[in-house]
Amino acid sequence: MKRIYILAAGIFLVNILYAQARAVTNFNKGWKFYLGNDSTASQTNFNDTRWRILNLPHDWSIELPFDEKAPATTQGGALPGGVGWYRKDFTLPSSSKNKNIFIEFDGVYCNSEVWINGHYLGKRANGYISFRYDLTPYLKFGTEKNIVAVKVDNSQQPNSRWYSGSGIYRNVRLVATNPIAVAQWGTFITTEAINEKQAVIQLRTVLNSSLKERDPCFIYTDIYDASGKLIHKDNRQTNDTLLIYDSWLRQYKTINIPAPKLWSVDRPYLYKAVTTVISKGKITDEYSTVFGIRSFYFDREKGFFLNNRSLKIKGVCMHHDLGALGSAFNIAAAKRQLIILKDMGCNAIRTSHNPPAPELLDLCDQMGFLVMEEAFDMWKKKKNKFDYYSDFEAWHKTDLEDMVKRDRNHPSVLMWSIGNEIREQFDSTGIAITKELVSIVKNLDNTRPVTSALTEIDTLKNYIYQARALDVVGWNYNETLYPEFLKKYPGQKFIASETTSAIATRGHYDMSSDSVRIWPEKGQKEFKNGNVDYTVSAYDNAKAYWGSTHEATWKIIKKYDFLSGLFVWTGFDYLGEPTPYPWPARSSYFGILDLAGFPKDIYYMYQSEWISKPVLHLFPHWNWQPGKIVDVWAYYNNADEVELFLNGRSLGIKKKINEGLHVMWRVIYEPGTLKAISRKNGKKVLARAINTTGKPAKIRLVADRQAIHANGNDLSFVTVQIIDDKDNVVPDAGILVDFGITGNGFIAGVDNGLQTSLESFKASRRNAFNGLCLAIVQSNNKAGTIVLKASSRGLKPGSIVIVAK
């Protein structure tokens, strides 16, 4: 039976709406930090004058040197953890005495403990979950200072299979409300019916009251469209009186939205609901919820449908680090990643293997990405000595509930995943735990399917599957068995929750390109087959033993309608898990893009398959030894054929054969120009040329954005190109580049995408790798110009002006 999931989703907007109702204050600036442990640092009179002053979000691990002996191991990025303390003092006006005041953390890695004015508030072990504490009973007002102290303990390692980062690495805020107010994550908007004339939505609102007496309340919700026009106003005369009792109240309200505009990946249309709470004739709260209206369902035989239209899910898995910035969340950095993926044709993100920063979901709502949001990487059975398994029994219910309540209103969130490659697959205890976790989710949100990313595809051996509680079966890898899914899993629906695990180094090519390297091979304890410089070929001809090449999996997903889509491992390289190599490799090779965000060649295969605009990508570079036989590939679309020319001579026309996704020529190298022309019905579609380059001559800087906000957080990502005297990027240039910056900004990070580079991400210099490196420029709260200069001995320097305003 087909089940349709319909949702009108919402985001809590961090705004100060009315000072007398609800105030949300950014609490990121002016913290003091100490790397080390001091048990007295929680005390109000502690002397922290020598501590470092910084702004959040902050990841201390990314600032430290790479270390072969780091307890996190190379799987955790070969960076240290440890214990760190944060302290911040603040004052509150006397007028706040009648308010309830909370501190909210979006994520602290990990084992955080919080004090206010010496009073212990609690501990949260999970490093990826959002949480808050009520400060109200312990606060001082007027000129007296309040002291909040946070201890972060990431000393027990290894506790992660990837780079976690350390510290208060997501945003923090203070929230002040009246005694009667909407609860944390207190609205839930669902759509009960949709047609062309109207959408019927239901808004569930939960209020909290800290008052002892029963107070009559009125709740009104007005709806605004994307332009800010009021399209529904609650009738203040007919609303029922509601009575707060036992400190909470829940209201259900049905609202009709005329001529609804549906949220989709191509048109992510968003509405806003403003809920007003009135008691004793006064506004006690105003709470905004941005939402999108859409319907979707999985069909067993026809795949996925969004708003009753078939849509193949073209997704990638993403870990939470932002390359050179580490795990410290930054909206501009996350948005850059999504823009690059959107340009590739990607329409979905899997948050592997944890809840993301809430702002990432905001971006997905705004930009049109579907999201598989994942809760856990392990349950009671550990994968690392000190991972979440020891906290699962005590915390899994609270953590899972908080994830769902926080994020169930996002239109981008497509499904919940309760786990990744959980070891209880192979244990009968997996049945009971699966049923419990699914029940926890469904009690809070029955509008979305629940899945789990499974590796054991034998139904008789997989106890998570045997629980019969999953709405959609998630398969990791095993792509050759996809065509048998309908037969093996009667009545079930499919999603490829994780695929591929192909590996590559940007700009490196091993011949011959049509032989696939399995690095590492199954059962290989010590990998010795690779390249001496720890590179991997970028021809899509290397993979881990459990995975596949990119082309192999996409061919299968593309072929069958019932295969609703896939999530490729991974969109970007990430810190940690440097399969197949040991130290000094310290970041992954799995990404479609490297750690700096530079595309590997496989990016263009997906682009040629996933978008409609014309694509022609020719590679590799054309700097080789004379006489070498070079495999030349081209990815293309919207064309019937590609013709290759070397120094004006045709080397023949190639066409994709059968299910082929690229064309190839074997060419004896000679210096000059390699050119490809794609044609459809005999007419040219695109042309691309690659030149043999001269020696490095100068530096060119290209910014993704030359105008940024002067808010202290915004970023410009500047690509540094080593070019010859004819402006060609030199493909093997590895020279050292020094950076200088003046004006109202600073260098937040540098990178080059090389998985084995042990240079600091926080330095003012970087070696280029295969002709490129990256400088990340951050504003410093002041408007004005920022000038970034890049120089290298013997080269003409480059500079660029970025305006902060």
Side-chain angles (χ1 to χ4, degrees), residues 742-760:
T742 58
N744 297 319
F746 61 95
I747 296 173
V750 293
D751 196 5
N752 60 16
L754 176 60
Q755 293 97 340
T756 57
S757 173
L758 301 180
E759 299 167 275
S760 172

Side-chain angles (χ1 to χ4, degrees), residues 62 66 73-79 161-163 319 321 323-324 503-505 534-536 569-570 572-591 593-596 600 751-758 761 766:
I62 203 67
F66 292 103
T73 75
T74 57
Q75 298 299 294
L79 286 166
R161 298 187 302 113
W162 57 89
Y163 176 77
H319 274 315
D321 79 70
I503 52 178
T505 299
Y534 285 23
T535 55
V536 179
W569 190 266
T570 52
F572 284 67
D573 281 349
Y574 54 91
L575 287 162
E577 202 172 12
T579 303
Y581 292 112
W583 173 270
R586 44 68 172 161
S587 62
S588 85
Y589 293 74
F590 294 119
L593 298 108
D594 71 18
L595 196 68
K600 303 176 188 179
D751 196 5
N752 60 16
L754 176 60
Q755 293 97 340
T756 57
S757 173
L758 301 180
F761 291 121
R766 192 71 172 195

Side-chain angles (χ1 to χ4, degrees), residues 337-346 369 603 607 611 613 615:
Q337 289 187 334
L338 293 178
I339 289 171
I340 293 170
L341 291 171
K342 196 77 172 180
D343 288 345
M344 186 181 77
C346 175
F369 283 89
Y603 177 93
Q607 193 176 64
I611 66 173
K613 75 176 184 180
V615 173

Side-chain angles (χ1 to χ4, degrees), residues 415-433:
M415 58 171 55
W416 308 109
S417 170
I418 56 174
N420 171 66
E421 300 181 355
I422 298 297
R423 292 188 171 179
E424 281 84 349
Q425 288 179 94
F426 314 106
D427 186 320
S428 60
T429 61
I431 294 176
I433 299 175

Side-chain angles (χ1 to χ4, degrees), residues 180-216:
I180 299 175
V182 176
Q184 184 186 27
W185 311 318
T187 59
F188 183 28
I189 300 178
T190 59
T191 300
E192 305 304 308
I194 303 174
N195 57 44
E196 292 182 358
K197 295 183 178 179
Q198 71 174 14
V200 181
I201 68 170
Q202 184 179 76
L203 172 63
R204 281 163 271 192
T205 306
V206 177
L207 301 187
N208 283 340
S209 174
S210 58
L211 301 176
K212 294 181 180 180
E213 67 271 17
R214 300 183 183 187
D215 268 5

Side-chain angles (χ1 to χ4, degrees), residues 217-241:
C217 296
F218 300 89
I219 303 177
Y220 307 101
T221 298
D222 301 328
I223 308 296
Y224 298 83
D225 68 12
S227 69
K229 178 182 177 182
L230 179 67
I231 61 172
H232 168 85
K233 185 174 181 63
D234 255 1
N235 188 335
R236 265 63 171 172
Q237 304 303 316
T238 61
N239 226 317
D240 294 333
T241 300

Side-chain angles (χ1 to χ4, degrees), residues 663-678:
V663 290
M664 186 191 84
W665 298 259
R666 284 210 161 97
V667 181
I668 299 175
Y669 172 75
E670 64 181 57
T673 299
L674 197 66
K675 183 177 181 180
I677 298 176
S678 61

Side-chain angles (χ1 to χ4, degrees), residues 345-588:
C346 175
N347 62 19
I349 303 293
R350 176 186 177 216
T351 68
S352 45
H353 306 290
N354 47 261
E359 293 87 355
L360 178 67
L361 297 181
D362 293 345
L363 289 171
C364 290
D365 292 339
Q366 296 158 15
M367 298 173 67
F369 283 89
L370 300 167
V371 176
M372 176 195 289
E373 185 166 355
E374 199 151 64
F376 306 118
D377 190 44
M378 73 290 297
W379 296 346
K380 292 184 179 182
K381 292 185 177 294
K382 64 185 176 183
K383 296 180 179 178
N384 287 283
K385 185 176 181 180
F386 298 108
D387 63 26
Y388 183 75
Y389 86 98
S390 60
D391 299 302
F392 183 85
E393 185 66 34
W395 281 103
H396 71 275
K397 185 175 187 294
T398 299
D399 288 342
L400 185 57
E401 286 179 340
D402 284 354
M403 181 189 84
V404 174
K405 285 188 292 185
R406 190 195 74 173
D407 296 336
R408 61 185 173 176
N409 288 322
H410 286 277
S412 58
V413 176
L414 164 72
M415 58 171 55
W416 308 109
S417 170
I418 56 174
N420 171 66
E421 300 181 355
I422 298 297
R423 292 188 171 179
E424 281 84 349
Q425 288 179 94
F426 314 106
D427 186 320
S428 60
T429 61
I431 294 176
I433 299 175
T434 300
K435 289 180 178 179
E436 181 201 5
L437 296 178
V438 173
S439 176
I440 291 169
V441 173
K442 295 293 186 180
N443 284 339
L444 295 170
D445 177 21
N446 62 2
T447 70
R448 294 178 178 85
V450 178
T451 190
S452 185
L454 308 176
T455 51
E456 177 52 72
I457 52 91
D458 187 333
T459 59
L460 298 178
K461 295 179 181 179
N462 193 315
Y463 290 93
I464 291 178
Y465 173 77
Q466 288 182 30
R468 296 296 195 272
L470 302 178
D471 299 299
V472 177
V473 175
W475 267 16
N476 285 11
Y477 308 104
N478 297 291
E479 75 286 346
T480 59
L481 300 178
Y482 290 172
E484 302 177 22
F485 178 84
L486 294 180
K487 179 180 178 181
K488 287 181 173 290
Y489 286 75
Q492 300 298 310
K493 301 163 189 176
F494 174 92
I495 184 71
S497 44
E498 184 174 318
T499 72
T500 310
S501 279
I503 52 178
T505 299
R506 172 185 54 82
H508 176 84
Y509 306 95
D510 292 332
M511 314 295 167
S512 65
S513 65
D514 51 2
S515 61
V516 176
R517 294 143 177 82
I518 301 175
W519 291 359
E521 295 181 359
K522 190 172 184 179
Q524 189 174 17
K525 294 182 179 180
E526 185 177 355
F527 180 69
K528 296 182 178 180
N529 308 43
N531 296 328
V532 294
D533 60 358
Y534 285 23
T535 55
V536 179
S537 175
Y539 275 119
D540 190 28
N541 64 338
K543 62 169 188 150
Y545 68 83
W546 60 83
S548 67
T549 63
H550 291 275
E551 292 192 15
T553 293
W554 174 242
K555 287 177 186 178
I556 299 169
I557 294 288
K558 176 184 178 181
K559 185 175 182 179
Y560 297 95
D561 289 342
F562 72 87
L563 300 178
S564 57
L566 83 170
F567 291 90
V568 179
W569 190 266
T570 52
F572 284 67
D573 281 349
Y574 54 91
L575 287 162
E577 202 172 12
T579 303
Y581 292 112
W583 173 270
R586 44 68 172 161
S587 62
S588 85

